[in-house]
Amino acid sequence: LNRHYSEHNSVPFTPERIQEIGVLQCCHPRFLSKSSIFRILQRIPTISNHFRMIIMAVDTNTPAQEESAPTKNSNEKEDDVATITTEKKDASVTSSPSSSSPNLASLSSSSSLSSSGTTATAAAVASKWKIKSTPQDSSFIPTLGVTFWMGWNFVLIFLQCILFLPFTSSVVRTVIVVVCTMSSLVLPANFVPFGLGYKFGDWMLLQGEKYFGLTTIIEDEESLQQISDQNKAAIFSFEPHDLLPYPVFAFNPALQRMPGKMGKVLHCLTSSIILRMPFIRHIYTWVRVSSVDKNTFRSFLQKGESVVFVPGGVHELTYTDPLESKDESKQSIVLYLKKRKGFIKLALENGSPIVPVFGFHIEDSYGYVAVGGDGFLATLGRSTGVLPIFFWGRFGIPFGIPRPNKITVAIGKPIHVPKYDNTKSNAATMEELVEKYHEVFLKEMESLFERHKESVGWSHKKLKII
C-alpha cells in the first residue's frame, strides 16, 4: 500500500494516519488483486487493534463513496467500489464474511458492491460461514510447543546416528536401545498419571494454533450442529496429505473450533505404524490420535464419535512432481482419491455424513528430496503408510519442525448419506451407492478448493485428482 500511495502522491499507510482519518482510499484497483487486499487486511489486526476502519477501492474516475452510498447499476463493474469494515474483537475472533472477502479471518466484514443475482446468492451463502482465526506468533514459546509436538523425528534420527557410529561405546548403545524399547513397547501410551499427558498435549496444540496463525472456515456450522445433536458421527476427510498433514490438529477439542459434541470428542486417525515409534507414540496419544485401521474407524462411528483422517495418504507425495513448483502456470495440488472408497462404505454402513476438508499453505511447510515414480522407497511408503524421505524444516534443520506458514483449514458442507446394511444380498446395491457418493465427494472436494483458493493467494493453482 505504501508503494501505491507514493505513486499517487497520497498519504503513507500508517496506523496513526488510519486512526486520524478512519478512511483509506485505494485508487487504481488494477494494482491490487483481491488476494493482495485480503493478505493486507489479515495483517491489519497486528498493526492496530483498536480502531474501526473502512477501505474503499475506487476507480480513478469514480469519486470516493461512503458505506451508505446508493447501489450501482448492474451494468457497472462490481469491483469499482468495495467497502470492507474491520473491527478488532478478540485475540481469536469469529467473522461473518461478505461476498467480497469470504475467507478473511479475524475480520467482521460488510461490503457495498454492485451485484447481480449470482453475487447476491454468493453473499447469502458466505454469510453462513463461521471463520475463526488466531493471530500468528512464531516466537520462542509457540516454537517450543511445536518442537515438543513435532520435533521428535530429529531426536529419533539423532539417536540412530549415535547408535551406529563406530566410536559409540557399548554402554551408550545399550541405554539408547533400552530407552527406545521401553518407550515403544513397555510403557503404556498414556503413562503419565492424572491426565497430565493430555494436558501437556493440549498445551502443545494451543501453541501450534499461534505458531501457524490458524484460520478455520466452517461453511455450514448449523448442519454440523444438527449432526451433533442427533448423536451421529461425521467423517471429516482432510486433504492434502503432503509430507505431514499436521493441520488436522484444527479439529482437536482443545482448540474448541467445532460445534456441539464434535468440539468435545473428535478423533484424529493416522497410520498405525506411527503409533509404534518411540516417543512419538506417547506424544500422539496425548494429542488424541488413534490408529486408522478399519476396526478402530468403525468403532468410533458406531459410538457416535466423529473422526478426521487423510484418505490420500503418502501416495500423494509420491505422485507430486517437484519440478512443477518452479513453473507457476503448472502448479497443482495432487490428491490421490479416485481409488479411496473404503471410508465411503463405512459412512454408508453407519449413515455418517462425509465432510470434505481442505488445508491451504501446507505444501511449503518442509523442503524435501522427492521420492516419486515406482521406485523402492515410493513402493515402501505406499505399502506402510510411512515414506522414508530426507526433509528439512524451519531454519533448514534436518527432520525439524515445519516452517511457520499461516494455515487456513476450510471445512465444507456435509454430504449426507443413507444408512445401508452391508450384507451379501445387498452387495451390488452397496457398490452402486459407494460409487455414487464417491463421485459426489470428489466433486465437493474440488468445489471446496475452488471456492477458497483465490482468497488465500492460490488463484494460479489447480487441483489434480488421481
Side-chain angles (χ1 to χ4, degrees), residues 327-374:
D327 186 350
E328 187 171 293
S329 64
K330 296 181 179 179
Q331 288 184 358
S332 61
I333 305 298
V334 177
L335 306 186
Y336 185 81
L337 293 175
K338 288 189 176 180
K339 295 182 179 180
R340 300 302 202 191
K341 302 176 183 180
F343 71 98
I344 304 291
K345 182 177 290 187
L346 288 173
L348 288 165
E349 289 177 1
N350 296 274
S352 299
I354 303 166
V355 185
V357 184
F358 203 95
F360 294 91
H361 296 303
I362 180 179
E363 82 291 347
D364 192 37
S365 299
Y366 292 99
Y368 61 90
V369 177
V371 179
D374 297 317

Side-chain angles (χ1 to χ4, degrees), residues 118-416:
T118 302
T119 305
T121 302
V125 172
S127 65
K128 297 182 179 180
W129 296 356
K130 178 182 178 182
I131 303 177
K132 184 175 181 179
S133 180
T134 298
Q136 190 168 23
D137 177 10
S138 55
S139 59
F140 176 73
I141 296 300
T143 300
L144 181 64
V146 173
T147 301
F148 279 122
W149 171 26
M150 290 189 284
W152 292 99
N153 291 304
F154 174 81
V155 174
L156 291 178
I157 298 297
F158 179 73
L159 290 177
Q160 290 180 37
C161 291
I162 294 177
L163 188 63
F164 292 105
L165 286 175
F167 51 80
T168 302
S169 67
S170 59
V171 175
V172 173
R173 289 176 177 169
T174 302
V175 170
I176 292 175
V177 171
V178 170
V179 170
C180 291
T181 302
M182 289 185 63
S183 174
S184 60
L185 298 177
V186 179
L187 288 176
N190 185 29
F191 69 93
V192 180
F194 309 114
L196 295 179
Y198 290 115
K199 293 180 180 179
F200 181 54
D202 292 345
W203 176 81
M204 288 188 290
L205 296 188
L206 289 172
Q207 298 308 312
E209 184 181 41
K210 299 175 185 177
Y211 182 85
F212 296 109
L214 179 65
T215 296
T216 50
I217 304 170
I218 302 178
E219 291 191 344
D220 193 351
E221 186 184 34
E222 183 179 350
S223 292
L224 295 181
Q225 182 66 58
Q226 291 175 357
I227 294 170
S228 181
D229 293 342
Q230 296 169 5
N231 199 33
K232 295 175 65 176
I235 300 175
F236 293 91
S237 178
F238 179 91
E239 289 291 336
H241 184 283
D242 203 74
L243 189 68
L244 184 64
Y246 61 85
V248 293
F249 84 99
F251 292 88
N252 191 281
L255 274 56
Q256 299 181 353
R257 301 214 172 203
M258 303 303 295
K261 182 180 176 181
M262 297 175 185
K264 299 177 181 179
V265 181
L266 202 154
H267 304 275
C268 175
L269 306 182
T270 188
S271 174
S272 59
I273 193 171
I274 297 290
L275 300 176
R276 296 191 182 101
M277 294 183 176
F279 311 117
I280 294 178
R281 172 174 178 247
H282 303 289
I283 295 295
Y284 276 35
T285 298
W286 294 339
V287 296
R288 296 174 175 84
V289 174
S290 302
S291 173
V292 76
D293 66 87
K294 186 179 295 186
N295 291 333
T296 303
F297 204 128
R298 182 180 283 114
S299 67
F300 286 140
L301 297 182
Q302 291 174 348
K303 290 188 293 185
E305 298 177 358
S306 299
V307 298
V308 56
F309 82 119
V310 188
V314 296
H315 285 67
E316 294 174 355
L317 202 61
T318 62
Y319 287 107
T320 300
D321 184 0
L323 296 179
E324 285 188 352
S325 61
K326 299 180 181 180
D327 186 350
E328 187 171 293
S329 64
K330 296 181 179 179
Q331 288 184 358
S332 61
I333 305 298
V334 177
L335 306 186
Y336 185 81
L337 293 175
K338 288 189 176 180
K339 295 182 179 180
R340 300 302 202 191
K341 302 176 183 180
F343 71 98
I344 304 291
K345 182 177 290 187
L346 288 173
L348 288 165
E349 289 177 1
N350 296 274
S352 299
I354 303 166
V355 185
V357 184
F358 203 95
F360 294 91
H361 296 303
I362 180 179
E363 82 291 347
D364 192 37
S365 299
Y366 292 99
Y368 61 90
V369 177
V371 179
D374 297 317
F376 172 74
L377 292 180
T379 303
L380 180 63
R382 292 167 188 164
S383 60
T384 63
V386 177
L387 187 65
I389 190 174
F390 177 76
F391 64 91
W392 56 94
R394 191 179 183 186
F395 307 123
I397 298 176
F399 308 104
I401 63 174
R403 302 178 183 113
N405 292 350
K406 189 170 178 59
I407 299 298
T408 297
V409 176
I411 304 170
K413 298 178 181 179
I415 302 170
H416 294 278

